[in-house]
Amino acid sequence: MASVFFQESGRENADLANVANVISVSLQPWPELDFSVEGGMDRAQTYERGKTLRTRRIGFNATWRATEKWTLASTVNFSRGNEGGDLVESRSDLFQAQATYAFKMPIPGWRSLPAQWYVRYVNQLGFVRDDTIGISAGTHLWAVNTGVSFDLW
């Protein structure tokens, strides 16, 4: 057994420490309906810069199996981060909705493969500001995609 350790000269203190605390609660009031909520508080510490970034996040999920073949699902997530002062800030907001249709694809001389068609909508906003290195940037992404997946096993 061998171990290799690389350390860049001048960056002896470039270590990181990350801690995530998460709580999640799920509820299934009926066999076809699921709800869940998740909250978290994360800490990312860099020893080189002497900074600690704390992030708080909350998310909500819902899934409705409308029929044996159709499923609708949605997700909403919010996160906020800062380093405890007024120098670093981050935000991210996400909304996602998806519909899926399950079917079987017959393969002649073999078996029918379980498959599903899906269509997904995503809308995500993000922002980061770090005055210690002079950046401020925001993004807005939205997309609609579709596809087909097959289960081979």
Side-chain angles (χ1 to χ4, degrees), residues 56-147:
R56 296 166 320 281
R57 55 192 162 82
I58 189 163
F60 304 94
N61 301 298
T63 302
W64 177 38
R65 289 169 291 285
T67 68
E68 190 174 303
K69 296 183 181 269
W70 282 100
T71 301
L72 303 173
S74 65
T75 300
V76 179
N77 288 317
F78 304 99
S79 73
R80 303 291 181 264
N82 67 37
E83 47 58 65
D86 194 30
L87 296 176
V88 178
E89 173 189 14
S90 66
R91 291 191 311 261
S92 178
D93 300 331
L94 168 74
F95 172 75
Q96 179 174 300
Q98 176 173 298
T100 59
Y101 177 76
F103 62 96
K104 299 231 184 241
M105 182 164 171
I107 306 291
W110 199 36
R111 63 181 179 98
S112 293
L113 293 179
Q116 76 174 6
W117 167 82
Y118 67 89
V119 61
R120 181 180 305 130
Y121 170 77
V122 177
N123 190 340
Q124 184 170 11
L125 297 169
F127 172 78
V128 65
R129 178 183 55 81
D130 188 338
D131 291 342
T132 63
I133 57 175
I135 65 165
S136 179
T139 61
H140 184 190
L141 164 75
W142 71 268
V144 175
N145 57 22
T146 187

Coordinates of all heavy atoms in Angstrom, one line a residue, residues 56-147:
R56 N -27.3 28.4 4.7 CA -28.5 27.9 5.2 C -29.4 27.6 4.0 O -29.4 28.4 3.0 CB -29.2 29.0 6.1 CG -28.5 29.4 7.3 CD -29.0 30.6 8.0 NE -29.3 31.7 7.1 CZ -28.4 32.6 6.6 NH1 -27.2 32.4 6.7 NH2 -28.9 33.6 5.8
R57 N -30.1 26.5 4.0 CA -30.9 26.1 2.9 C -32.1 25.4 3.3 O -32.1 24.7 4.4 CB -30.1 25.2 1.9 CG -29.4 24.0 2.5 CD -28.4 23.4 1.5 NE -27.6 22.5 2.2 CZ -27.8 21.3 2.5 NH1 -29.0 20.8 2.2 NH2 -27.0 20.5 3.2
I58 N -33.1 25.5 2.5 CA -34.4 24.8 2.8 C -34.9 24.3 1.4 O -34.8 25.1 0.4 CB -35.4 25.6 3.5 CG1 -36.6 24.8 4.0 CG2 -35.8 26.9 2.8 CD1 -37.5 25.4 5.0
G59 N -35.5 23.2 1.4 CA -36.1 22.7 0.1 C -37.4 21.9 0.4 O -37.6 21.4 1.5
F60 N -38.3 22.0 -0.6 CA -39.6 21.3 -0.6 C -39.7 20.4 -1.8 O -39.4 20.9 -2.9 CB -40.7 22.3 -0.5 CG -40.6 23.3 0.6 CD1 -39.9 24.5 0.4 CD2 -41.1 23.0 1.8 CE1 -39.8 25.4 1.4 CE2 -41.0 23.9 2.9 CZ -40.3 25.1 2.7
N61 N -40.2 19.2 -1.6 CA -40.5 18.3 -2.7 C -41.9 17.7 -2.6 O -42.4 17.5 -1.5 CB -39.5 17.1 -2.7 CG -38.0 17.6 -2.8 OD1 -37.6 18.2 -3.7 ND2 -37.3 17.3 -1.7
A62 N -42.5 17.5 -3.8 CA -43.8 16.8 -3.9 C -43.8 15.9 -5.1 O -43.3 16.3 -6.1 CB -44.9 17.9 -4.0
T63 N -44.3 14.7 -4.9 CA -44.5 13.8 -6.0 C -45.9 13.2 -5.9 O -46.4 12.8 -4.9 CB -43.5 12.6 -5.9 OG1 -42.2 13.2 -5.8 CG2 -43.6 11.6 -7.0
W64 N -46.6 13.2 -7.1 CA -47.9 12.7 -7.2 C -47.9 11.7 -8.3 O -47.7 12.0 -9.5 CB -48.9 13.8 -7.5 CG -50.3 13.4 -7.8 CD1 -51.0 12.4 -7.1 CD2 -51.2 13.9 -8.7 NE1 -52.3 12.3 -7.6 CE2 -52.4 13.2 -8.6 CE3 -51.2 14.9 -9.6 CZ2 -53.6 13.5 -9.3 CZ3 -52.3 15.2 -10.4 CH2 -53.5 14.5 -10.2
R65 N -48.2 10.4 -8.0 CA -48.3 9.4 -9.0 C -49.8 9.3 -9.4 O -50.6 8.6 -8.8 CB -47.8 8.0 -8.3 CG -46.3 8.0 -8.2 CD -45.8 6.8 -7.4 NE -46.2 6.9 -5.9 CZ -45.6 7.7 -5.1 NH1 -44.7 8.5 -5.4 NH2 -46.0 7.7 -3.8
A66 N -50.1 10.2 -10.4 CA -51.5 10.4 -10.8 C -52.2 9.1 -11.3 O -53.4 8.9 -11.0 CB -51.6 11.5 -11.9
T67 N -51.5 8.3 -12.0 CA -52.0 7.0 -12.5 C -50.8 6.1 -12.4 O -49.7 6.4 -12.0 CB -52.5 7.1 -14.0 OG1 -51.4 7.3 -14.8 CG2 -53.5 8.2 -14.2
E68 N -51.1 4.8 -12.9 CA -50.0 3.8 -12.9 C -48.9 4.3 -13.8 O -47.7 3.9 -13.6 CB -50.6 2.5 -13.3 CG -49.6 1.3 -13.1 CD -50.3 0.0 -13.4 OE1 -51.3 -0.3 -12.7 OE2 -49.7 -0.7 -14.2
K69 N -49.2 5.1 -14.8 CA -48.2 5.5 -15.8 C -47.7 6.9 -15.7 O -46.5 7.2 -16.0 CB -48.7 5.3 -17.2 CG -49.0 3.8 -17.5 CD -49.5 3.6 -18.9 CE -49.8 2.2 -19.2 NZ -48.7 1.4 -19.7
W70 N -48.5 7.8 -15.1 CA -48.1 9.2 -15.1 C -47.7 9.6 -13.7 O -48.4 9.3 -12.7 CB -49.3 10.1 -15.5 CG -49.5 10.2 -16.9 CD1 -50.5 9.5 -17.7 CD2 -48.8 11.0 -17.9 NE1 -50.4 9.8 -19.0 CE2 -49.4 10.7 -19.1 CE3 -47.8 11.9 -17.7 CZ2 -48.9 11.4 -20.3 CZ3 -47.3 12.5 -18.9 CH2 -47.9 12.3 -20.1
T71 N -46.6 10.4 -13.6 CA -46.1 10.9 -12.3 C -45.7 12.4 -12.5 O -45.1 12.8 -13.5 CB -44.8 10.2 -11.8 OG1 -45.2 8.8 -11.7 CG2 -44.3 10.7 -10.5
L72 N -46.1 13.2 -11.6 CA -45.8 14.6 -11.6 C -45.0 14.9 -10.3 O -45.3 14.4 -9.2 CB -47.0 15.5 -11.6 CG -48.0 15.3 -12.7 CD1 -49.3 16.1 -12.5 CD2 -47.4 15.7 -14.0
A73 N -43.9 15.7 -10.5 CA -43.0 16.0 -9.3 C -42.5 17.4 -9.4 O -42.4 18.0 -10.5 CB -41.8 15.0 -9.3
S74 N -42.3 18.0 -8.3 CA -41.8 19.4 -8.2 C -40.8 19.5 -7.0 O -41.0 18.9 -6.0 CB -42.9 20.4 -8.2 OG -43.6 20.3 -7.0
T75 N -39.9 20.5 -7.2 CA -38.9 20.8 -6.2 C -38.7 22.3 -6.1 O -38.7 22.9 -7.2 CB -37.6 20.1 -6.6 OG1 -37.7 18.7 -6.6 CG2 -36.5 20.4 -5.5
V76 N -38.6 22.8 -4.9 CA -38.3 24.2 -4.7 C -37.2 24.2 -3.6 O -37.3 23.6 -2.6 CB -39.5 25.0 -4.2 CG1 -39.2 26.5 -3.9 CG2 -40.7 24.9 -5.2
N77 N -36.1 24.9 -3.9 CA -35.0 25.0 -3.0 C -34.5 26.5 -2.9 O -34.5 27.2 -3.9 CB -33.8 24.2 -3.5 CG -34.0 22.7 -3.3 OD1 -34.5 22.3 -2.3 ND2 -33.6 22.0 -4.4
F78 N -34.1 26.9 -1.7 CA -33.6 28.2 -1.4 C -32.3 28.1 -0.6 O -32.4 27.3 0.4 CB -34.6 29.1 -0.7 CG -35.9 29.2 -1.3 CD1 -37.0 28.5 -0.9 CD2 -36.1 30.1 -2.4 CE1 -38.2 28.6 -1.5 CE2 -37.3 30.2 -3.0 CZ -38.4 29.5 -2.6
S79 N -31.3 28.8 -0.9 CA -30.1 28.7 -0.1 C -29.5 30.1 0.0 O -29.6 30.9 -0.9 CB -29.0 27.7 -0.6 OG -28.4 28.2 -1.7
R80 N -28.9 30.4 1.2 CA -28.3 31.7 1.4 C -27.0 31.5 2.1 O -26.9 30.7 3.1 CB -29.2 32.6 2.3 CG -30.6 32.9 1.8 CD -30.5 33.8 0.5 NE -31.8 34.1 0.0 CZ -32.4 33.5 -1.0 NH1 -31.8 32.4 -1.5 NH2 -33.6 33.9 -1.5
G81 N -25.9 32.2 1.7 CA -24.7 32.0 2.4 C -23.9 33.3 2.6 O -24.1 34.3 1.9
N82 N -23.1 33.4 3.7 CA -22.3 34.5 3.9 C -21.1 34.1 4.8 O -21.2 33.0 5.4 CB -23.0 35.7 4.5 CG -23.6 35.5 5.8 OD1 -22.9 34.8 6.7 ND2 -24.8 36.0 6.1
E83 N -20.1 34.9 5.0 CA -19.0 34.6 5.8 C -19.0 35.2 7.2 O -18.1 35.3 7.9 CB -17.6 34.9 5.1 CG -17.5 36.3 4.5 CD -17.6 37.5 5.4 OE1 -16.9 37.7 6.3 OE2 -18.6 38.3 5.1
G84 N -20.2 35.7 7.6 CA -20.4 36.3 8.9 C -20.2 37.8 8.9 O -20.6 38.4 9.9
G85 N -19.6 38.3 7.9 CA -19.4 39.8 7.8 C -20.2 40.3 6.6 O -21.3 39.7 6.3
D86 N -19.7 41.3 6.0 CA -20.4 41.8 4.8 C -19.5 41.7 3.6 O -19.7 42.4 2.6 CB -20.7 43.3 5.1 CG -21.7 43.8 4.1 OD1 -22.6 43.0 3.6 OD2 -21.7 45.0 3.7
L87 N -18.6 40.7 3.6 CA -17.6 40.6 2.4 C -18.1 39.6 1.4 O -17.8 39.7 0.2 CB -16.2 40.3 2.9 CG -15.6 41.4 3.8 CD1 -14.2 40.9 4.3 CD2 -15.4 42.7 3.0
V88 N -18.7 38.5 1.8 CA -19.0 37.4 0.9 C -20.5 37.1 1.1 O -21.0 36.9 2.3 CB -18.2 36.1 1.2 CG1 -18.6 35.0 0.3 CG2 -16.7 36.5 1.0
E89 N -21.2 36.9 0.0 CA -22.6 36.6 0.0 C -23.0 35.7 -1.2 O -22.4 35.9 -2.2 CB -23.4 37.9 0.0 CG -24.9 37.7 -0.2 CD -25.7 39.0 -0.4 OE1 -25.0 40.0 -0.8 OE2 -26.9 39.0 -0.3
S90 N -23.8 34.7 -1.0 CA -24.3 33.9 -2.1 C -25.8 33.6 -1.9 O -26.3 33.5 -0.7 CB -23.5 32.6 -2.2 OG -23.7 31.8 -1.1
R91 N -26.5 33.5 -3.0 CA -27.9 33.1 -3.0 C -28.2 32.2 -4.2 O -27.6 32.3 -5.2 CB -28.8 34.3 -3.2 CG -28.8 35.3 -2.0 CD -29.9 36.3 -2.2 NE -29.9 37.0 -3.5 CZ -29.4 38.2 -3.7 NH1 -28.8 38.9 -2.7 NH2 -29.5 38.8 -4.9
S92 N -29.1 31.2 -4.0 CA -29.5 30.3 -5.0 C -31.0 30.0 -4.8 O -31.3 29.6 -3.7 CB -28.6 29.1 -5.1 OG -29.1 28.2 -6.1
D93 N -31.8 30.1 -5.8 CA -33.2 29.7 -5.8 C -33.5 28.8 -6.9 O -33.1 29.1 -8.1 CB -34.1 31.0 -5.9 CG -33.9 32.0 -4.7 OD1 -33.5 31.5 -3.6 OD2 -34.1 33.2 -5.0
L94 N -34.2 27.7 -6.7 CA -34.4 26.7 -7.7 C -35.9 26.3 -7.7 O -36.4 26.0 -6.6 CB -33.5 25.5 -7.5 CG -33.9 24.2 -8.4 CD1 -33.4 24.4 -9.8 CD2 -33.2 23.0 -7.8
F95 N -36.5 26.2 -8.9 CA -37.8 25.6 -9.1 C -37.7 24.6 -10.2 O -37.1 24.9 -11.3 CB -38.9 26.7 -9.4 CG -40.2 26.0 -9.8 CD1 -41.0 25.4 -8.8 CD2 -40.6 25.9 -11.1 CE1 -42.2 24.8 -9.1 CE2 -41.8 25.3 -11.4 CZ -42.6 24.8 -10.4
Q96 N -38.2 23.4 -9.9 CA -38.1 22.4 -11.0 C -39.5 21.6 -11.0 O -40.0 21.3 -9.9 CB -37.0 21.4 -10.7 CG -36.9 20.3 -11.7 CD -35.6 19.5 -11.4 OE1 -34.5 20.0 -11.4 NE2 -35.8 18.2 -11.1
A97 N -40.0 21.3 -12.1 CA -41.2 20.5 -12.3 C -41.0 19.5 -13.4 O -40.3 19.8 -14.4 CB -42.4 21.4 -12.6
Q98 N -41.5 18.3 -13.1 CA -41.3 17.2 -14.1 C -42.5 16.4 -14.2 O -43.2 16.1 -13.2 CB -40.1 16.4 -13.6 CG -39.8 15.2 -14.5 CD -38.6 14.5 -14.1 OE1 -37.5 15.0 -14.2 NE2 -38.7 13.2 -13.7
A99 N -42.8 15.9 -15.4 CA -43.9 14.9 -15.7 C -43.2 13.7 -16.4 O -42.3 13.9 -17.2 CB -44.9 15.5 -16.6
T100 N -43.6 12.5 -15.9 CA -43.0 11.3 -16.5 C -44.2 10.4 -16.9 O -45.2 10.4 -16.2 CB -42.1 10.6 -15.6 OG1 -42.8 10.2 -14.4 CG2 -40.9 11.4 -15.2
Y101 N -44.0 9.6 -18.0 CA -44.9 8.6 -18.4 C -44.2 7.3 -18.6 O -43.2 7.2 -19.3 CB -45.5 9.0 -19.8 CG -46.5 8.0 -20.3 CD1 -47.8 7.9 -19.8 CD2 -46.1 7.2 -21.4 CE1 -48.6 6.9 -20.3 CE2 -46.9 6.2 -21.9 CZ -48.2 6.1 -21.4 OH -49.1 5.2 -21.9
A102 N -44.6 6.3 -17.8 CA -43.9 5.0 -17.8 C -44.6 4.1 -18.9 O -45.8 4.1 -19.1 CB -44.1 4.3 -16.5
F103 N -43.8 3.3 -19.6 CA -44.3 2.4 -20.6 C -43.3 1.3 -20.8 O -42.2 1.3 -20.2 CB -44.5 3.1 -22.0 CG -43.3 3.7 -22.6 CD1 -42.6 3.0 -23.6 CD2 -42.8 5.0 -22.2 CE1 -41.4 3.5 -24.1 CE2 -41.7 5.5 -22.8 CZ -41.0 4.8 -23.8
K104 N -43.7 0.3 -21.5 CA -42.8 -0.9 -21.8 C -42.5 -0.9 -23.3 O -43.4 -0.7 -24.2 CB -43.5 -2.2 -21.5 CG -43.8 -2.3 -20.0 CD -43.3 -3.5 -19.4 CE -43.7 -3.7 -18.0 NZ -42.6 -3.7 -17.1
M105 N -41.2 -1.1 -23.6 CA -40.8 -1.1 -25.0 C -40.5 -2.5 -25.4 O -39.5 -3.1 -24.9 CB -39.5 -0.2 -25.2 CG -39.1 -0.2 -26.6 SD -38.0 1.2 -26.9 CE -37.4 0.8 -28.5
P106 N -41.3 -3.1 -26.3 CA -41.1 -4.5 -26.6 C -39.9 -4.7 -27.5 O -39.7 -3.9 -28.5 CB -42.4 -4.9 -27.3 CG -43.0 -3.7 -27.8 CD -42.5 -2.6 -26.9
I107 N -39.1 -5.7 -27.2 CA -37.9 -6.0 -28.0 C -38.2 -7.4 -28.6 O -38.3 -8.4 -27.9 CB -36.6 -6.1 -27.2 CG1 -36.4 -4.8 -26.5 CG2 -35.4 -6.4 -28.1 CD1 -36.1 -3.6 -27.3
P108 N -38.4 -7.5 -30.0 CA -38.7 -8.8 -30.6 C -37.6 -9.9 -30.2 O -36.5 -9.6 -30.3 CB -38.7 -8.5 -32.1 CG -39.0 -7.0 -32.2 CD -38.3 -6.4 -31.0
G109 N -38.1 -11.0 -29.8 CA -37.2 -12.1 -29.5 C -36.6 -12.0 -28.1 O -35.8 -12.8 -27.7
W110 N -36.9 -11.0 -27.4 CA -36.3 -10.8 -26.1 C -37.5 -10.5 -25.1 O -38.4 -11.3 -24.9 CB -35.3 -9.7 -26.1 CG -34.3 -9.7 -25.0 CD1 -33.8 -10.8 -24.4 CD2 -33.7 -8.6 -24.3 NE1 -32.9 -10.5 -23.3 CE2 -32.9 -9.1 -23.3 CE3 -33.8 -7.3 -24.5 CZ2 -32.1 -8.3 -22.5 CZ3 -33.1 -6.4 -23.6 CH2 -32.3 -7.0 -22.6
R111 N -37.4 -9.4 -24.4 CA -38.4 -9.1 -23.4 C -38.8 -7.6 -23.6 O -38.2 -6.9 -24.4 CB -37.9 -9.3 -22.0 CG -36.7 -8.4 -21.7 CD -36.3 -8.7 -20.2 NE -35.1 -7.9 -19.9 CZ -35.2 -6.8 -19.2 NH1 -36.3 -6.4 -18.7 NH2 -34.1 -6.1 -18.9
S112 N -39.8 -7.1 -22.9 CA -40.1 -5.7 -22.9 C -39.3 -5.0 -21.9 O -39.2 -5.4 -20.8 CB -41.6 -5.6 -22.6 OG -42.4 -6.1 -23.6
L113 N -38.7 -3.9 -22.3 CA -37.9 -3.1 -21.5 C -38.7 -2.0 -20.8 O -39.5 -1.3 -21.4 CB -36.8 -2.3 -22.2 CG -35.7 -3.2 -22.8 CD1 -34.7 -2.3 -23.6 CD2 -35.0 -4.0 -21.8
P114 N -38.6 -1.9 -19.4 CA -39.3 -0.8 -18.8 C -38.7 0.5 -19.2 O -37.4 0.6 -19.4 CB -39.0 -1.0 -17.3 CG -38.6 -2.4 -17.2 CD -38.0 -2.8 -18.5
A115 N -39.5 1.5 -19.5 CA -39.0 2.8 -20.1 C -39.8 3.9 -19.5 O -40.9 3.7 -19.0 CB -39.0 2.8 -21.6
Q116 N -39.3 5.1 -19.6 CA -40.1 6.3 -19.3 C -39.8 7.5 -20.2 O -38.6 7.7 -20.5 CB -40.0 6.6 -17.8 CG -38.8 7.3 -17.4 CD -38.9 7.8 -15.9 OE1 -39.8 7.5 -15.2 NE2 -37.8 8.5 -15.5
W117 N -40.8 8.3 -20.5 CA -40.6 9.5 -21.2 C -40.8 10.6 -20.2 O -41.6 10.5 -19.2 CB -41.6 9.7 -22.3 CG -41.7 11.1 -22.8 CD1 -40.9 11.6 -23.8 CD2 -42.6 12.1 -22.5 NE1 -41.3 12.9 -24.0 CE2 -42.3 13.2 -23.2 CE3 -43.7 12.1 -21.6 CZ2 -43.0 14.4 -23.1 CZ3 -44.4 13.3 -21.5 CH2 -44.1 14.4 -22.2
Y118 N -40.0 11.7 -20.2 CA -40.1 12.8 -19.3 C -40.0 14.1 -20.0 O -39.4 14.2 -21.0 CB -39.0 12.6 -18.2 CG -37.6 12.9 -18.6 CD1 -37.1 14.1 -18.7 CD2 -36.8 11.8 -19.1 CE1 -35.8 14.3 -19.1 CE2 -35.6 12.0 -19.5 CZ -35.0 13.2 -19.6 OH -33.8 13.4 -20.0
V119 N -40.6 15.1 -19.3 CA -40.4 16.5 -19.7 C -40.1 17.2 -18.4 O -40.8 17.0 -17.4 CB -41.6 17.1 -20.5 CG1 -42.9 17.0 -19.7 CG2 -41.3 18.5 -21.0
R120 N -39.1 18.1 -18.4 CA -38.7 18.8 -17.2 C -38.5 20.3 -17.5 O -38.0 20.7 -18.5 CB -37.4 18.2 -16.7 CG -36.8 18.8 -15.5 CD -35.5 18.1 -15.1 NE -35.6 16.7 -15.0 CZ -34.8 15.9 -15.6 NH1 -33.8 16.3 -16.3 NH2 -34.9 14.6 -15.5
Y121 N -39.0 21.1 -16.5 CA -38.8 22.5 -16.5 C -37.9 22.9 -15.3 O -38.2 22.5 -14.2 CB -40.1 23.3 -16.5 CG -40.0 24.8 -16.3 CD1 -39.6 25.6 -17.3 CD2 -40.2 25.3 -15.0 CE1 -39.5 27.0 -17.1 CE2 -40.1 26.7 -14.8 CZ -39.7 27.5 -15.8 OH -39.6 28.8 -15.6
V122 N -36.9 23.7 -15.6 CA -36.0 24.2 -14.5 C -35.9 25.7 -14.6 O -35.7 26.3 -15.7 CB -34.6 23.5 -14.6 CG1 -33.7 24.1 -13.5 CG2 -34.7 22.0 -14.5
N123 N -36.0 26.4 -13.4 CA -35.8 27.8 -13.4 C -34.9 28.0 -12.1 O -35.3 27.7 -11.0 CB -37.1 28.5 -13.2 CG -36.9 30.0 -13.4 OD1 -35.8 30.6 -13.2 ND2 -38.0 30.7 -13.7
Q124 N -33.7 28.6 -12.4 CA -32.7 28.7 -11.3 C -32.1 30.1 -11.3 O -31.6 30.6 -12.4 CB -31.6 27.7 -11.3 CG -30.7 27.8 -10.2 CD -29.7 26.6 -10.1 OE1 -29.6 25.8 -11.1 NE2 -29.0 26.4 -9.0
L125 N -32.1 30.8 -10.2 CA -31.4 32.1 -10.0 C -30.3 31.9 -9.1 O -30.4 31.2 -8.1 CB -32.4 33.1 -9.4 CG -33.7 33.4 -10.2 CD1 -34.6 34.2 -9.4 CD2 -33.3 34.2 -11.4
G126 N -29.2 32.6 -9.4 CA -28.0 32.5 -8.5 C -27.3 33.8 -8.5 O -27.3 34.6 -9.4
F127 N -26.6 34.1 -7.4 CA -25.9 35.3 -7.2 C -24.7 35.1 -6.2 O -24.9 34.4 -5.2 CB -26.8 36.4 -6.6 CG -26.1 37.7 -6.2 CD1 -25.7 38.6 -7.2 CD2 -25.7 38.0 -4.9 CE1 -25.0 39.7 -6.9 CE2 -25.0 39.1 -4.6 CZ -24.7 40.0 -5.5
V128 N -23.6 35.6 -6.5 CA -22.4 35.6 -5.6 C -21.7 36.9 -5.6 O -21.6 37.5 -6.7 CB -21.5 34.4 -6.0 CG1 -20.8 34.6 -7.3 CG2 -20.4 34.2 -4.9
R129 N -21.3 37.3 -4.5 CA -20.5 38.5 -4.3 C -19.4 38.2 -3.3 O -19.6 37.7 -2.2 CB -21.4 39.7 -3.8 CG -20.6 41.0 -3.6 CD -21.4 42.1 -3.0 NE -22.1 41.7 -1.8 CZ -21.6 41.7 -0.5 NH1 -20.3 42.0 -0.4 NH2 -22.3 41.4 0.5
D130 N -18.2 38.5 -3.7 CA -17.0 38.3 -2.9 C -16.1 39.5 -3.0 O -15.4 39.7 -3.9 CB -16.3 37.0 -3.3 CG -15.2 36.7 -2.3 OD1 -14.7 37.6 -1.5 OD2 -14.7 35.5 -2.3
D131 N -16.3 40.4 -2.0 CA -15.5 41.7 -2.1 C -14.0 41.5 -1.8 O -13.2 42.3 -2.1 CB -16.1 42.7 -1.1 CG -17.4 43.2 -1.5 OD1 -17.8 43.0 -2.7 OD2 -18.2 43.7 -0.6
T132 N -13.7 40.3 -1.2 CA -12.2 40.1 -0.9 C -11.4 39.8 -2.2 O -10.2 40.1 -2.2 CB -12.0 38.8 0.0 OG1 -12.5 37.7 -0.7 CG2 -12.8 39.0 1.3
I133 N -12.1 39.4 -3.3 CA -11.4 39.2 -4.6 C -12.1 40.0 -5.7 O -11.7 39.9 -6.8 CB -11.3 37.7 -5.0 CG1 -12.7 37.1 -5.1 CG2 -10.4 37.0 -4.0 CD1 -12.7 35.6 -5.6
G134 N -13.1 40.8 -5.3 CA -13.6 41.8 -6.2 C -14.5 41.2 -7.3 O -14.5 41.6 -8.5
I135 N -15.4 40.2 -7.0 CA -16.3 39.7 -8.0 C -17.8 39.9 -7.5 O -18.0 39.9 -6.3 CB -16.1 38.2 -8.3 CG1 -16.3 37.3 -7.1 CG2 -14.7 38.0 -8.9 CD1 -16.5 35.9 -7.5
S136 N -18.6 40.0 -8.4 CA -20.1 40.0 -8.2 C -20.7 39.5 -9.5 O -20.5 40.1 -10.5 CB -20.5 41.5 -7.9 OG -21.9 41.5 -7.7
A137 N -21.5 38.4 -9.4 CA -22.0 37.9 -10.6 C -23.4 37.2 -10.3 O -23.6 36.7 -9.2 CB -21.1 36.8 -11.1
G138 N -24.3 37.3 -11.2 CA -25.6 36.7 -11.1 C -25.9 35.9 -12.3 O -25.4 36.1 -13.4
T139 N -26.7 34.8 -12.1 CA -27.1 34.0 -13.2 C -28.6 33.7 -13.2 O -29.2 33.8 -12.1 CB -26.4 32.6 -13.2 OG1 -26.7 31.9 -12.0 CG2 -24.9 32.8 -13.3
H140 N -29.2 33.5 -14.3 CA -30.6 33.1 -14.4 C -30.6 32.0 -15.5 O -30.4 32.3 -16.6 CB -31.5 34.3 -14.7 CG -33.0 33.9 -14.7 ND1 -33.9 34.7 -15.2 CD2 -33.6 32.7 -14.3 CE1 -35.1 34.1 -15.0 NE2 -34.9 32.9 -14.5
L141 N -31.0 30.8 -15.1 CA -31.0 29.7 -16.0 C -32.4 29.2 -16.0 O -33.0 29.0 -14.9 CB -30.1 28.6 -15.5 CG -30.3 27.2 -16.2 CD1 -29.8 27.2 -17.6 CD2 -29.7 26.1 -15.3
W142 N -33.0 29.0 -17.2 CA -34.2 28.3 -17.3 C -34.1 27.4 -18.5 O -33.4 27.7 -19.5 CB -35.5 29.2 -17.4 CG -35.6 30.0 -18.6 CD1 -35.2 31.2 -18.9 CD2 -36.3 29.5 -19.8 NE1 -35.5 31.6 -20.2 CE2 -36.2 30.5 -20.7 CE3 -37.0 28.3 -20.2 CZ2 -36.7 30.4 -22.0 CZ3 -37.5 28.2 -21.4 CH2 -37.4 29.3 -22.3
A143 N -34.7 26.2 -18.4 CA -34.6 25.2 -19.4 C -35.8 24.3 -19.4 O -36.4 24.1 -18.4 CB -33.3 24.4 -19.2
V144 N -36.1 23.8 -20.6 CA -37.1 22.8 -20.7 C -36.4 21.7 -21.5 O -35.8 21.9 -22.6 CB -38.4 23.3 -21.5 CG1 -39.3 22.1 -21.8 CG2 -39.1 24.4 -20.8
N145 N -36.4 20.5 -20.9 CA -35.8 19.4 -21.7 C -36.7 18.1 -21.6 O -37.6 18.1 -20.7 CB -34.4 19.1 -21.2 CG -34.3 18.8 -19.7 OD1 -35.2 18.4 -19.1 ND2 -33.1 19.0 -19.2
T146 N -36.5 17.2 -22.5 CA -37.3 16.0 -22.5 C -36.4 14.9 -23.0 O -35.3 15.1 -23.5 CB -38.4 16.2 -23.5 OG1 -39.3 15.0 -23.4 CG2 -38.0 16.4 -24.9
G147 N -36.8 13.7 -22.7 CA -36.0 12.5 -23.0 C -36.7 11.2 -22.7 O -37.8 11.2 -22.2

